[in-house]
Amino acid sequence: MSHKIYLVSLTFERENDTKEYEPFCQELKLVYQPKAKALANSALFLFTPVPLEVAYCRNKKMNSTVKEMMKEKRIDLIYIKRLRAAQFVDPETTIPVVLDTTDAMSRYYREATKSAPWYRKPLFLEEQFKYRLYEKRMSRAFKNWVVCSPVELEYLKRRTSADVKFFLVPNGVDTDFYTPTDFAPERHSILLSGLMDKFVNIEAAQYFIKDILPAILEKIPDVKLYIVGPNPPLSLRKLARHNIIITGGVEDLRGYISRSKVVVVPIKTGTGTRNKILQSWAMARPVVTTSKGLQGLKAIDNEHVFVADDPKLFADKIIMLLKDDTLQKELIQNSLKLVEEKYAMKTIVDELNTILQRVAS
């Protein structure tokens, strides 16, 4: 079934490449928010019940643009992506609304607080309690929520209005874009990727370099680690060595997945599911992660993926994969099959489309 999509989005960049989205949109409007203004918003709302991330996105033009779009067009359903975007939709609207929260943000900050350095704990604790209030408030306004994992669903059910309907839609991967290649991986190469200005990814990279990598180097001295992702902080860039390559942002992550023998996701905190795991599986690369990293994915340890929460065991699993091609192939075959059956984007889109039609009707 075809839809007419009118997309309104906030952006923090003056120049935006929208070619990827234009073929799918009847109309696309971007509202620019200078980062200085966004930071000023957060500072202004520091001592209010509004989460700082929500305040960061506050923008009157965005509100008016959404309002005008709803007035001018025949809108059958409003789809809100992320909790912080809910502020742009009138809670009194009579148009059906689906709020795709993806993650439970209060839970995210609860988990992050546990391992955050002392100077971040007060801020994370504040966001945790602010988001608890905000999630409750938004649940009184919008009654159809989409989440990406059973853990998030159960958590939010206990903390939102009783009449909210929850729909579970797992994250998916575009298996036409992320596909196995004939490119031979570099010998003894490891990939760790993510948005490197996010606390959970900074923490994961530092944990891997300091607590896991030394044990691997003892057994495989020529191992090479690629840390790929935009905006790595100085604290992380200082850890770069001849065998630790920190690239910053790259145009196409697929090249680094292809060149890597093993992909690692040593997440210690955080919520939701890891797209980087799905992308690696789809490109036929074995993954070693933590139980936290595997959260929300229907995968079995030692069958689709290797899971280890102990740093020495994590290192041992990587060493096994780097040395045993047969073991690699078994893990790859199983994870490829899992992606095709449960996480291919075509399947996920069909599930979401069914939900949207149900709510709109």
Side-chain angles (χ1 to χ4, degrees):
M1 181 179 179
S2 61
H3 303 289
K4 289 183 178 179
I5 298 174
Y6 300 93
L7 176 62
V8 183
S9 178
L10 193 67
T11 177
F12 301 100
E13 305 295 335
R14 286 189 179 275
E15 301 295 329
N16 296 272
D17 184 0
T18 60
K19 292 177 184 176
E20 183 180 351
Y21 308 101
E22 288 170 0
F24 304 101
C25 297
Q26 192 79 7
E27 191 171 334
L28 190 159
K29 291 188 176 182
L30 299 180
V31 178
Y32 173 61
Q33 170 103 304
K35 290 182 181 178
K37 175 67 166 61
L39 289 169
N41 282 348
S42 293
L44 188 64
F45 284 84
L46 185 61
F47 300 107
T48 74
V50 179
L52 298 185
E53 287 184 337
V54 176
Y56 189 86
C57 296
R58 284 178 72 93
N59 185 289
K60 290 182 179 179
K61 187 177 179 182
M62 183 71 181
N63 283 89
S64 62
T65 302
V66 171
K67 188 175 181 179
E68 288 169 11
M69 184 76 78
M70 291 169 60
K71 185 178 179 180
E72 294 172 3
K73 311 297 181 183
R74 183 181 177 275
I75 305 297
D76 300 305
L77 181 136
I78 301 167
Y79 182 80
I80 304 172
K81 183 63 178 178
R82 298 288 183 180
L83 193 60
R84 54 185 172 267
Q87 62 184 305
F88 303 127
V89 176
D90 182 356
E92 301 298 325
T93 183
T94 57
I95 301 172
V97 175
V98 171
L99 174 55
D100 186 344
T101 64
T102 305
D103 304 332
M105 293 308 299
S106 61
R107 181 172 176 270
Y108 170 87
Y109 280 104
R110 186 188 72 180
E111 294 299 311
T113 301
K114 293 176 183 177
S115 59
W118 64 268
Y119 56 87
R120 287 185 183 232
K121 284 184 185 291
L123 185 63
F124 285 5
L125 196 61
E126 180 184 1
E127 280 293 89
Q128 175 192 337
F129 287 109
K130 284 185 173 184
Y131 261 120
R132 277 192 188 177
L133 295 173
Y134 196 72
E135 286 162 351
K136 186 74 173 179
R137 178 181 156 199
M138 290 300 105
S139 73
R140 289 194 288 266
F142 306 119
K143 300 302 180 181
N144 301 287
W145 288 37
V146 170
V147 294
C148 70
S149 83
V151 178
E152 311 297 309
L153 190 152
E154 291 304 320
Y155 175 90
L156 286 169
K157 262 188 175 180
R158 297 193 299 269
R159 290 166 174 82
T160 52
S161 296
D163 57 346
V164 170
K165 293 180 183 177
F166 284 96
F167 301 96
L168 179 60
V169 181
N171 287 342
V173 60
D174 185 347
T175 50
D176 292 328
F177 187 77
Y178 292 95
T179 59
T181 69
D182 295 329
F183 189 88
E186 293 179 6
R187 186 169 179 264
H188 298 161
S189 55
I190 300 169
L191 172 66
L192 189 159
S193 68
L195 298 174
M196 286 303 157
D197 54 355
K198 298 294 184 183
F199 171 74
V200 293
N201 294 322
I202 297 169
E203 178 189 47
Q206 292 173 337
Y207 167 59
F208 188 84
I209 292 171
K210 294 176 180 178
D211 296 339
I212 298 171
L213 187 59
I216 301 172
L217 287 168
E218 285 183 11
K219 299 291 179 67
I220 308 176
D222 65 340
V223 75
K224 184 183 291 186
L225 171 65
Y226 290 98
I227 296 179
V228 180
N231 306 317
L234 180 60
S235 61
L236 191 56
R237 297 199 306 272
K238 284 181 176 179
L239 299 177
R241 301 288 185 273
H242 73 281
N243 61 339
I244 302 175
I245 297 91
I246 300 176
T247 67
V250 296
E251 189 170 328
D252 193 339
L253 180 62
R254 292 176 300 175
Y256 283 89
I257 298 176
S258 295
R259 73 166 56 178
S260 300
K261 193 91 169 177
V262 176
V263 175
V264 295
V265 186
I267 296 293
K268 298 181 72 178
T269 57
T271 57
T273 55
R274 309 295 157 194
N275 289 329
K276 64 194 82 175
I277 293 180
L278 297 175
Q279 292 162 359
S280 302
W281 284 346
M283 292 193 68
R285 288 296 179 264
V287 174
V288 182
T289 187
T290 58
S291 54
K292 181 68 69 174
L294 194 63
Q295 178 181 284
L297 294 173
K298 295 180 179 179
I300 300 171
D301 185 19
N302 296 322
E303 182 177 336
H304 306 105
V305 62
F306 278 163
V307 181
D309 293 322
D310 174 76
K312 186 180 184 308
L313 183 58
F314 202 111
D316 289 342
K317 300 273 190 180
I318 293 170
I319 292 166
M320 288 167 59
L321 285 170
L322 290 175
K323 289 186 172 183
D324 190 336
D325 287 344
T326 301
L327 183 61
Q328 263 211 18
K329 288 176 183 177
E330 289 178 6
L331 218 60
I332 286 170
Q333 287 173 356
N334 294 337
S335 57
L336 263 175
K337 185 179 179 183
L338 180 67
V339 163
E340 290 165 0
E341 290 178 352
K342 295 186 180 297
Y343 298 107
M345 190 60 75
K346 294 172 186 175
T347 302
I348 304 301
V349 167
D350 286 343
E351 290 180 20
L352 182 59
N353 191 43
T354 300
I355 292 167
L356 298 184
Q357 290 187 55
R358 177 178 164 187
V359 173
S361 62

